[in-house]
Amino acid sequence: LTANYRYNVFGEYKDDKFGTVSSEIFTQLCLSSTAEDFTTFAIDSIYLTLAYSGGYSIDTALAPTRMKVSIYELNEVLDSTKKYSFDDVAVNSMPIFSSEVDIDVNNDIVIGTDTLNPQLRLKITNDEFIQKIQSFTGDNDQFQELIKGIKIVAEKVDENGFMAYVDMTSATTGLVLYYEKDSKKQTYKLNFPEKGNRFMRYEYDFSGSDINSLSSDTLGLNEEYIYLGNMGISMAKLDIDEEAFKHWKDSVNNGGEHNNVAINRAVIEIPVAEINQSLLPIRKILCYRKYVSDGDTTMVLIHDAQVSDTYYDGMYEYSTNSYRINVTMHFENYLNGNIDNLDLYLVPDERRSTANRVILNGTKHPNKPINIRITYSQPK
């Protein structure tokens, strides 16, 4: 689900580990007033402005990167059914803007005497599009019948490309009309809807990449490396051997020699692999488990992840180049019979709003494999 999130990703990025990933933005346009009569405007120009909130690049300093940016007008109504990363919307074949530009998410820009925060500014000079807006008079519903929305695309020019992050609800994000009225130069802003109809479409090409050889989108633990990627690239299923804990479970439930065993703490320790090409790993890893109710299977956060960020952790630690995930309650729930298996799914956090990815050490890593460290007590 990618509809109506504040931070959107657009661009195209390729590396030999995860292949090529791209994201396009589809969005409606909204009047910033209840109704408007643009026929009284003498529109001089229209700019698309996108407020940057960061980015992802092979260059961790995120230096300016040349990209081919195109803007298309939609010719299909963008309704609320368009909300998933695999959805698509028909567009006019000819873009209203297309040019190579520098994507620069770090540096402020200067417009006249004003210094503005990092943003993309693209001047739209398509006469047909400008005249269509110039001819409009009416309310927001009527405007969205005339201008159904736009699609924003950025394609790589160099080998790797760039993924830009945009604050879609920023005051400086939208389409700005520059016009003259009553002999005064003025501006009018067309906004992207905060809770209306907009979404991101993702596309993938894994050919020639490391993950292309993996058999499914849940990456098994019996590997030297585990690949986790945002934007729906991958998650990892941890098939935990329950036989190692079976005697505890049986003794707790049925009595016996070890019926007073108590888990004090269980932590998954995951080293980041040295083969990572980027120093921008996933900020946080979430742990899910499968839950079956009335025959339907869904994914739910484990109890530990629902307590607090401090308790659960799961954050990337720069000092150790690893992740530590508290799964104590998950193992206690298994011992107490509240859940019937220990299998876990590692899912990247911020998976819709960033392009970060990370390669982790698996169980077959020769030096620092992933492990579960359990501290328990057994009073005599």
Side-chain angles (χ1 to χ4, degrees):
L1 186 70
T2 62
N4 296 330
Y5 284 90
R6 176 177 177 179
Y7 297 103
N8 279 196
V9 180
F10 81 102
E12 182 181 28
Y13 182 77
K14 177 184 179 181
D15 64 35
D16 59 6
K17 306 299 181 185
F18 290 86
T20 303
V21 183
S22 64
S23 177
E24 304 166 344
I25 298 174
F26 292 83
T27 180
Q28 281 182 320
L29 298 170
C30 303
L31 299 176
S32 55
S33 51
T34 304
E36 199 55 72
D37 182 1
F38 291 142
T39 63
T40 64
F41 293 12
I43 297 177
D44 173 69
S45 57
I46 299 177
Y47 278 82
L48 171 71
T49 62
L50 301 174
Y52 292 128
S53 59
Y56 190 90
S57 169
I58 194 168
D59 174 12
T60 56
L62 302 178
T65 301
R66 200 75 172 166
M67 300 284 286
K68 181 183 178 182
V69 178
S70 301
I71 308 169
Y72 295 86
E73 185 182 353
L74 307 187
N75 60 17
E76 174 187 346
V77 174
L78 181 54
D79 59 34
S80 59
T81 64
K82 305 291 187 178
K83 56 187 177 182
Y84 296 104
S85 62
F86 52 79
D87 283 328
D88 202 357
V89 180
V91 301
N92 293 339
S93 58
M94 296 299 295
I96 59 175
F97 175 92
S98 185
S99 181
E100 290 186 10
V101 300
D102 286 330
I103 303 295
D104 187 353
V105 302
N106 286 326
N107 297 316
D108 296 339
I109 65 171
V110 177
I111 305 295
T113 59
D114 296 328
T115 300
L116 307 177
N117 291 333
Q119 61 183 259
L120 179 66
R121 290 177 60 84
L122 304 176
K123 185 177 182 180
I124 299 173
T125 58
N126 183 278
D127 290 336
E128 183 179 350
F129 183 73
I130 293 175
Q131 288 304 314
K132 187 182 290 189
I133 293 179
Q134 179 81 75
S135 67
F136 173 77
T137 179
D139 60 20
N140 193 62
D141 289 341
Q142 292 170 319
F143 180 76
Q144 290 177 349
E145 289 178 8
L146 178 69
I147 307 292
K148 298 178 177 63
I150 59 173
K151 169 185 175 180
I152 306 169
V153 182
E155 301 169 282
K156 63 185 180 68
V157 174
D158 63 11
E159 176 65 21
N160 298 106
F162 195 98
M163 302 299 291
Y165 308 155
V166 176
D167 184 349
M168 296 294 286
T169 63
S170 169
T172 54
T173 292
L175 280 188
V176 181
L177 314 183
Y178 288 82
Y179 67 96
E180 187 173 303
K181 185 176 183 180
D182 300 327
S183 300
K184 295 180 180 179
K185 293 187 180 299
Q186 303 182 53
T187 61
Y188 184 94
K189 185 160 175 285
L190 296 170
N191 296 314
F192 298 150
E194 184 173 354
K195 297 295 182 183
N197 296 321
R198 58 178 176 82
F199 73 100
M200 291 173 284
R201 174 179 171 81
Y202 301 152
E203 292 190 356
Y204 315 96
D205 181 1
F206 300 134
S207 59
S209 68
D210 287 2
I211 66 172
N212 191 54
S213 62
L214 299 169
S215 59
S216 70
D217 60 356
T218 55
L219 312 184
L221 189 60
N222 295 321
E223 303 287 345
E224 184 174 355
Y225 298 113
I226 300 171
Y227 294 77
L228 286 184
N230 280 347
M231 297 175 57
I233 293 176
S234 59
M235 63 180 178
K237 180 184 179 184
L238 308 188
D239 295 310
I240 300 175
D241 183 3
E242 291 150 12
E243 291 300 320
F245 307 99
K246 189 171 179 58
H247 68 286
W248 283 356
K249 179 182 179 182
D250 291 344
S251 63
V252 169
N253 289 338
N254 303 320
E257 182 181 356
H258 303 300
N259 64 345
N260 56 351
V261 167
I263 292 179
N264 305 115
R265 188 170 176 82
V267 176
I268 301 177
E269 298 178 342
I270 319 176
V272 173
E274 295 180 357
I275 63 172
N276 278 270
Q277 294 177 317
S278 171
L279 298 179
L280 295 173
I282 290 164
R283 184 185 71 93
K284 182 178 181 179
I285 295 175
L286 298 175
C287 270
Y288 285 79
R289 66 179 181 87
K290 283 190 174 180
Y291 173 73
V292 180
S293 177
D294 297 327
D296 294 326
T297 301
T298 186
M299 301 274 283
V300 297
L301 281 170
I302 64 171
H303 283 104
D304 303 84
Q306 300 178 44
V307 175
S308 69
D309 289 343
T310 303
Y311 174 84
Y312 171 75
D313 197 0
M315 303 290 292
Y316 173 68
E317 297 179 3
Y318 282 90
S319 60
T320 61
N321 197 29
S322 66
Y323 296 84
R324 291 170 57 87
I325 303 173
N326 189 350
V327 292
T328 306
M329 296 175 68
H330 182 68
F331 276 82
E332 288 177 338
N333 284 334
Y334 177 74
L335 289 175
N336 296 331
N338 296 326
I339 59 178
D340 58 9
N341 69 76
L342 289 169
D343 291 346
L344 292 170
Y345 293 82
L346 304 183
V347 179
D349 195 16
E350 297 180 340
R351 56 191 179 275
R352 302 171 181 87
S353 58
T354 77
N356 292 26
R357 67 282 303 276
V358 68
I359 304 172
L360 309 168
N361 288 347
T363 55
K364 290 187 177 180
H365 190 274
N367 300 320
K368 295 181 179 180
I370 182 176
N371 67 83
I372 301 174
R373 187 177 298 275
I374 296 177
T375 306
Y376 67 95
S377 58
Q378 185 183 356
K380 295 182 178 179

